[in-house]
């Protein structure tokens, strides 16, 4: 996702490096995790996971006790960021189509082709801040006695603290999203403050919206927290684990080794794949002022990624897991090439119509066409035919300044977010498009660092309150 300053250079798509934006950023430092009691996360030898395997039955898990798996985080020093940094800047495109996308709230209908490609979005919310999670909600699990239930850390979900698989659902939430992009609060370096209680709350909410979650890295124990919360809630969520890649092998090696431990520790039936890198080619091309991903800089970056992808695939193979774990990559939609696509099992494409200065009633159709022209057509040139997924798509609900309150024809506000949701979600589901909604909740750190619309892409506020939107009610594929 785009995180660049100033926005006035958006038309040229000149994006400075993270070090330009934050001179104190140092991804090469190594994290140290300290606890007053037992180190978190535990080693695979120390952790005793559930012996039950996941099935479609949400009650198939036995929760791990607190004695087996502590959830304290003390004196944690972070070093690498988690979460997407840049977003695809779209260019003009149009094309013929075979299926019609209904643009609700717009004037026109956009004709497009249905493609079984995807994006994942996972956004969840429970209540409007009252002491009950939802006045019309129902409860999960088998118990109906809620007298000893408690409110979650942000007072948005009421649940059984003895069995987190029992929690109240929110009637406003529907399992309509193919997937959701997720970064918990407190998971951005240099401050690792994510807690199990916060992630548990998020998992309860996201499980009512989707079955798939995209993660961006392993630092700050993000992946451990999410997989543990999934196990304890007995929900049917599964994750794409992320390994953040930059030009520093220290960062890569740390996260690769964390993934190795994670795959040995948790139920791999909740792991959909391992995504090696997010927008690495874009970042390298931006640093070199290059524009063609098939040129020298783009091919060199792809070759660097391919070596890491092959290394991760070899590491996973050596674990002799009970299932095959696909290995893929994510990047801005226009920043990939045949060299990379030929080496992955799946490719996640970040596409944001907002940055194309598009009217919202054109955004859904444009997104599909952009994906078709830049990713589907390119993948057709490979022999391995990787799975294609739209990994980030959404619309900002606010700007922190007037200069970026619109993309030109359309506003960053709640009504326009609703229009885009209505025009994209159900049509994408009908067409079997794979997509991840961007993103779960607003991110204050992005607003503080980048301003504009950057911190305001969540379906939920940063305090987990569902924004004033209606989630379309249509089953996701």
């Amino acid at each position: 996702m785009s995180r660049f300053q100033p926005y006035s250079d958006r038309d040229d798509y000149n994006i400075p490096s993270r070090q330009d934006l934050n001179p104190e950023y140092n991804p090469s430092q190594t994290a140290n995790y300290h606890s007053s009691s037992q180190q978190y996360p535990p080693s695979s030898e120390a952790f005793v996971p559930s012996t039950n395997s996941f099935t479609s039955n949400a009650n198939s898990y036995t929760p791990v006790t607190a004695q087996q798996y502590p959830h304290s985080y003390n004196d944690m020093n972070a070093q690498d960021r988690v979460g997407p940094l840049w977003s695809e800047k779209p260019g003009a495109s149009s094309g013929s189509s075979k299926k019609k996308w209904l643009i609700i709230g717009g004037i026109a209908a956009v004709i497009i082709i249905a493609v079984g490609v995807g994006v994942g979005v996972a956004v969840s919310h429970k209540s409007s801040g009252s002491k009950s999670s939802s006045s019309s909600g129902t409860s999960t699990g088998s118990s109906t006695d809620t007298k000893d239930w408690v409110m979650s850390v942000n007072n948005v979900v009421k649940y059984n603290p003895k069995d987190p698989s029992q929690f109240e659902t929110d009637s406003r939430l529907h399992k309509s999203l193919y997937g959701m992009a997720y970064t918990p609060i407190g998971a951005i370096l240099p401050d690792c403050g994510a807690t199990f209680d916060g992630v548990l709350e998020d998992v309860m909410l996201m499980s009512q919206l989707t079955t798939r979650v995209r993660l961006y890295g392993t630092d700050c124990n993000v992946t451990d927290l999410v997989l543990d919360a999934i196990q304890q809630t007995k929900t049917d969520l599964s994750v794409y684990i992320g390994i953040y890649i930059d030009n520093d092998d220290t960062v890569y090696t740390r996260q690769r080794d964390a993934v190795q431990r994670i795959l040995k520790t948790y139920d791999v039936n909740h792991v959909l794949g391992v995504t090696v890198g997010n927008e690495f080619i874009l970042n390298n091309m931006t640093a070199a002022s290059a524009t063609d991903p098939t040129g020298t800089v783009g091919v060199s970056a792809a070759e660097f990624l391919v070596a890491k992808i092959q290394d991760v695939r070899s590491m996973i193979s050596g674990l002799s897991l009970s299932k095959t774990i696909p290995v893929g990559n994510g990047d801005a939609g226009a920043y990939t090439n045949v060299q990379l696509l030929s080496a992955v099992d799946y490719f996640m494409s970040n596409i944001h119509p907002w940055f194309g200065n598009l009217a919202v009633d054109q955004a859904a159709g444009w997104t599909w066409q952009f994906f078709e022209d830049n990713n589907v057509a390119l993948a057709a040139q490979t022999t391995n035919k990787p799975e294609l997924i739209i990994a980030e798509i959404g619309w900002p609900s606010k700007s922190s300044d007037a200069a970026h309150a619109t993309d030109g024809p359309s506003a960053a506000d709640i009504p326009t977010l609703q229009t885009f949701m209505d025009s994209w979600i159900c049509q994408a589901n009908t067409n079997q498009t794979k997509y991840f909604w961007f993103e779960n909740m607003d991110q204050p750190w992005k607003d503080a660092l980048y301003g504009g619309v950057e911190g305001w892409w969540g379906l939920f506020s940063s305090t987990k309150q569902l924004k004033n939107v209606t989630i379309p009610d249509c089953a996701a594929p």
Side-chain angles (χ1 to χ4, degrees):
M1 166 102 201
S2 180
R3 302 286 179 265
F4 57 91
Q5 294 178 319
Y7 278 72
S8 59
D9 64 6
R10 181 172 62 190
D11 291 338
D12 295 326
Y13 206 45
N14 296 320
I15 306 174
S17 68
R18 263 189 306 287
Q19 285 82 358
D20 293 333
L21 294 172
N22 182 5
E24 297 180 356
Y25 172 76
N26 183 4
S28 63
Q29 296 174 344
T30 302
N32 295 311
Y33 302 96
H34 301 284
S35 171
S36 59
S37 56
Q38 181 177 346
Q39 181 173 326
Y40 184 88
S43 67
S44 58
E45 291 78 12
F47 181 70
V48 182
S50 167
T51 57
N52 294 329
S53 60
F54 174 77
T55 67
S56 59
N57 179 3
N59 297 318
S60 62
Y61 271 95
T62 300
V64 179
T65 65
Q67 289 75 21
Q68 291 172 307
Y69 197 73
H71 303 124
S72 61
Y73 312 85
N74 300 319
D75 304 322
M76 301 176 71
N77 298 319
Q79 62 296 331
D80 177 38
R81 71 177 300 287
V82 182
L85 280 175
W86 318 107
S87 84
E88 176 55 45
K89 172 178 181 301
S93 70
S94 61
S96 60
S97 58
K98 297 180 181 178
K99 289 193 176 181
K100 182 178 294 184
W101 291 67
L102 177 62
I103 308 298
I104 299 177
I107 306 296
V110 181
I111 304 298
I112 59 179
I113 302 175
V115 164
V117 289
V119 172
V121 138
V123 178
S124 304
H125 169 18
K126 195 88 191 112
S127 84
S128 58
S130 64
K131 289 205 171 180
S132 64
S133 61
S134 173
S135 60
S136 59
T138 59
S139 300
T140 64
S142 59
S143 173
T144 57
D145 184 3
T146 62
K147 63 182 178 63
D148 295 325
W149 288 23
V150 299
M151 294 303 297
S152 61
V153 64
N154 282 286
N155 292 317
V156 293
V157 185
K158 189 175 183 179
Y159 73 101
N160 183 352
K162 297 179 180 179
D163 181 2
S165 70
Q166 299 175 3
F167 58 90
E168 286 187 355
T169 59
D170 189 333
S171 61
R172 298 171 300 169
L173 305 183
H174 308 292
K175 229 166 191 173
S176 301
L177 301 175
Y178 179 86
M180 178 167 281
Y182 173 62
T183 301
I185 297 296
I188 304 301
L189 298 170
D191 301 313
C192 284
T195 66
F196 177 78
D197 289 341
V199 173
L200 181 72
E201 180 178 70
D202 294 337
V203 165
M204 290 175 179
L205 293 173
M206 288 191 291
S207 69
Q208 300 176 61
L209 289 163
T210 187
T211 61
R212 305 170 186 90
V213 175
R214 182 196 182 190
L215 304 176
Y216 291 89
T218 63
D219 284 328
C220 300
N221 296 322
V222 167
T223 307
D224 290 270
L225 292 168
V226 172
L227 287 172
D228 185 21
I230 290 172
Q231 178 164 309
Q232 294 209 35
T233 56
K234 304 177 186 177
T235 53
D236 60 354
L237 284 175
S238 294
V239 303
Y240 282 93
I241 296 173
I243 295 179
Y244 179 71
I245 297 288
D246 62 8
N247 292 304
D248 182 350
D249 275 351
T250 301
V251 175
Y252 163 73
T253 301
R254 181 180 67 251
Q255 297 208 17
R256 179 205 60 196
D257 292 349
V259 170
Q260 182 180 48
R261 174 188 55 76
I262 287 164
L263 292 177
K264 292 165 62 178
T265 301
Y266 300 93
D267 184 355
V268 295
N269 288 306
H270 286 285
V271 177
L272 297 170
V274 176
T275 309
V276 182
N278 179 60
E279 298 186 340
F280 180 79
I281 293 179
L282 168 62
N283 293 344
N284 276 265
M285 291 183 60
T286 298
S289 299
T291 58
D292 181 5
T294 66
T296 302
V297 176
V299 171
S300 177
E303 291 173 346
F304 182 90
L305 279 172
V306 169
K308 304 304 183 190
I309 289 165
Q310 291 172 343
D311 183 50
V312 170
R313 188 176 281 126
S314 176
M315 176 271 289
I316 294 174
S317 177
L319 298 178
S320 300
L321 300 174
S322 60
K323 62 176 281 189
T324 299
I325 304 293
V327 179
N329 170 257
D331 216 305
Y335 286 80
T336 189
N337 49 45
V338 171
Q339 287 85 349
L340 176 65
L341 293 181
S342 296
V344 298
D345 299 314
Y346 63 89
F347 177 71
M348 291 186 154
S349 177
N350 302 337
I351 305 176
H352 290 284
W354 166 266
F355 292 106
N357 306 100
L358 295 166
V360 70
D361 62 349
Q362 299 173 8
W366 175 89
T367 299
W368 178 87
Q369 192 64 55
F370 184 93
F371 184 60
E372 178 76 10
D373 294 343
N374 289 276
N375 303 131
V376 176
L378 193 62
Q381 301 175 32
T382 68
T383 58
N384 56 309
K385 301 298 186 291
E387 179 185 16
L388 299 175
I389 304 167
I390 300 177
E392 292 180 7
I393 187 167
W395 197 272
S397 62
K398 180 179 177 180
S399 173
S400 293
D401 55 65
H404 308 111
T406 75
D407 68 347
S410 293
D413 59 22
I414 296 292
T416 313
L417 168 62
Q418 182 71 65
T419 297
F420 185 62
M421 291 172 63
D422 290 342
S423 65
W424 174 265
I425 292 174
C426 291
Q427 283 298 110
N429 293 347
T430 298
N431 294 337
Q432 300 291 300
T433 301
K434 301 172 183 177
Y435 66 93
F436 285 80
W437 190 263
F438 186 86
E439 60 186 320
N440 173 270
M441 69 187 105
D442 291 341
Q443 298 287 338
W445 73 270
K446 295 177 186 176
D447 183 49
L449 185 58
Y450 304 105
V453 300
E454 295 298 330
W456 308 103
W457 291 76
L459 281 183
F460 295 86
S461 71
S462 60
T463 57
K464 321 291 180 73
Q465 309 302 311
L466 180 65
K467 294 179 180 179
N468 189 25
V469 295
T470 299
I471 306 295
D473 190 1
C474 51

